[in-house]
């Protein structure tokens, strides 16, 4: 989720996604979780499909 919120922020400049990224980092989210990484990748693909 951390990667998704950062990539979404860099693509859109959405402040709420940046705040989510910071909150996730504050609580020490670990990106080594395979399920979380898979969900991030799927969400990014969906975002790219809808952005044109």
């Amino acid at each position: 989720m951390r990667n998704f919120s950062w990539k979404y922020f860099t693509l859109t400049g959405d402040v709420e996604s940046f705040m989510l990224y910071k909150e996730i980092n504050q609580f020490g989210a670990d990106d080594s979780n395979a399920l979380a990484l898979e969900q991030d990748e799927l969400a990014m693909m969906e975002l790219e499909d809808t952005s044109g």
Side-chain angles (χ1 to χ4, degrees), residues 5-48:
S5 60
W6 178 254
K7 288 185 187 265
Y8 188 82
F9 168 69
T10 59
L11 290 172
T12 64
D14 182 56
V15 174
E16 289 183 15
S17 62
F18 179 72
M19 297 305 291
L20 175 61
Y21 173 79
K22 289 196 54 122
E23 184 175 334
I24 291 170
N25 280 338
Q26 179 181 0
F27 291 107
D30 185 7
D31 276 339
S32 64
N33 184 337
L35 179 59
L37 290 175
E38 183 178 338
Q39 289 174 342
D40 286 351
E41 291 172 3
L42 290 173
M44 278 305 300
M45 290 187 325
E46 289 177 5
L47 178 63
E48 289 171 355

